[in-house]
Amino acid sequence: MNTSTQLIPTTLPLQDRSLLRDACYINGQWVKANSGAMQSIHNPATHELVGRVPICGEIETRDAIQSAHLAMQEWSAGTAAERAKVLRRWYELMLENMNDLAVILTSEQGKPIIEARSEVKYGASFIEWFGEEAKRMYGDVIPTHMKDRRLIVLRQPVGVVAAITPWNFPIAMITRKCAPALAAGCSMVCKPSPETPLSALALAELAHRAGVPPGVFNVVTGDAIKIGGEMTRNELVRKLSFTGSTRTGVLLATQCAATLKKVSLELGGNAPFIVFDDADIDAAIAGAIISKFRNSGQTCVCTNRFLVQAGIHDTFVEKLSHAVVKLKVGNGMLEDTIQGPLINQHAVEKVEAHIADALKQGARIITGGKRHSLGGTYFEPTVIKDVTSAMRMAREETFGPVAPIFKFSTEAEALQMANATEFGLAAYVYTKDMGRAWRVTEQIETGMVGINVGLISTEIAPFGGIKMSGIGREGSKYGLDDYTELKYMCMGLS
């Protein structure tokens, strides 16, 4: 294993340059790929080189898995309080280094620095939360069926966990997985997105400083097919957690079936944002902006379809357009930027294809609709009306700053439109009628619903979807469940 590493020369405004790493983190050491191959990471806003990371494959991943397997034996044998203490220190280090982590995140991902700081705090919250939840990983005593027996249920760590994480939240999607895994007594091997590996390596550096033992948390960068293939077929891995596209999630689940791994999948979405005639329109507009345009529309729970009742449709379109025009587009490193660039040219092309398809079938652009004058992967915040269910953006996740507006007449029609999708991650409902709020929420086929709010994610609530949007839940007291197995003990007293 090649353990040579060095600090990356950088112009980034970092207080601690040692957070910017050019090596993978395996068994407590910084290592390069056996082949020596490296991948360059560029800023999507400026195209400047941010850093380089190793292109690893099966061999390095296998080493990391073996290290995790051996390290877990001692880690899981410790007390919950001991694990909680280490996680607490990791959480504190994330907050102490929040600005540097945000700079690295924005530089490789593009989101506004203000959003990046929020993500660091959000990501750290999972480490704090699950450090405390480790102390509450209770079992059960079952009332016995026979006088001379006692029935007990224990919760034990599932084993080595493999995690594959996306580029849109490169810090929070890691901590949302590793925090419950480590709290439960598992060890982890993480493969971050090839677009945003530097944030993951910075987290590994802080985990090292926090006292996470060698092998308990590992980060391997490189070839997605080779690394993912080793993760899914290696028998030492007992669980895989993935956040990303539905297509990739189905493939990974299929590959995991051969060894019957436990699987958690947080996949694509097609979130409806339903606005009824009696809604507070100004509150709905505020919710729409944060739900649709946060991270340039590149979130799995962001609104993909605005369903607006006929009585307020025109007013909503006008007010949303006025609000969207005011969004400042620019380099994420600038404090006043509200919308940064899209992650790459493929993302821009997908947005353009969805808009072109809608226009061809009769939709009309109210504002935006094209690449931004800044060039690169910047795209204008867009509002488009007269959208119908026949258009691609009604069925597919656009993942960009486009707000398509559909019109409906009745509550039943709104529900039919909302549920007319294979996805079921998140939904949003705006109404002053609490009876309607209950009825609609209970009938919407999603795992999460925001009622008169456009931002629903928090470490204390379960995050996840149904249908083709995934399996399992992350965050909250339920978040430990996917990282534990139940062991039943039948004790004879005679």
Side-chain angles (χ1 to χ4, degrees), residues 411-448:
E411 181 179 311
E413 184 184 8
L415 276 166
Q416 185 278 324
M417 294 169 69
N419 290 335
T421 173
E422 64 181 345
F423 300 106
L425 188 57
Y428 305 88
V429 177
Y430 275 76
T431 178
K432 293 178 182 177
D433 183 338
M434 286 299 102
R436 169 182 280 158
W438 273 105
R439 289 193 306 273
V440 172
T441 296
E442 290 176 344
Q443 295 179 69
I444 285 181
E445 297 170 352
T446 61
M448 301 173 285

Side-chain angles (χ1 to χ4, degrees), residues 57-105:
E58 297 102 327
I59 295 175
E60 297 88 351
T61 306
R62 195 175 305 127
D63 289 342
I65 292 170
Q66 179 66 27
S67 298
H69 173 67
L70 295 175
M72 182 184 152
Q73 298 175 29
E74 184 174 351
W75 178 250
S76 62
T79 67
E82 290 169 341
R83 293 194 293 273
K85 184 177 180 180
V86 173
L87 289 172
R88 181 73 191 185
R89 183 56 186 149
W90 195 6
Y91 158 77
E92 292 169 348
L93 286 170
M94 284 187 67
L95 294 187
E96 290 170 14
N97 292 273
M98 179 178 65
N99 287 329
D100 278 355
L101 290 174
V103 167
I104 292 172
L105 194 163

Side-chain angles (χ1 to χ4, degrees), residues 426-490:
Y428 305 88
V429 177
Y430 275 76
T431 178
K432 293 178 182 177
D433 183 338
M434 286 299 102
R436 169 182 280 158
W438 273 105
R439 289 193 306 273
V440 172
T441 296
E442 290 176 344
Q443 295 179 69
I444 285 181
E445 297 170 352
T446 61
M448 301 173 285
V449 182
I451 302 169
N452 296 324
V453 294
L455 185 63
I456 59 177
S457 300
T458 171
E459 77 278 9
I460 64 177
F463 188 104
I466 61 174
K467 297 170 30 176
M468 295 299 285
S469 286
I471 301 169
R473 293 296 182 269
E474 296 183 321
S476 81
K477 69 175 184 178
Y478 306 104
L480 278 175
D481 292 347
D482 281 335
Y483 296 90
T484 62
E485 295 282 15
L486 299 181
K487 178 174 286 184
Y488 157 57
M489 300 169 55
C490 181

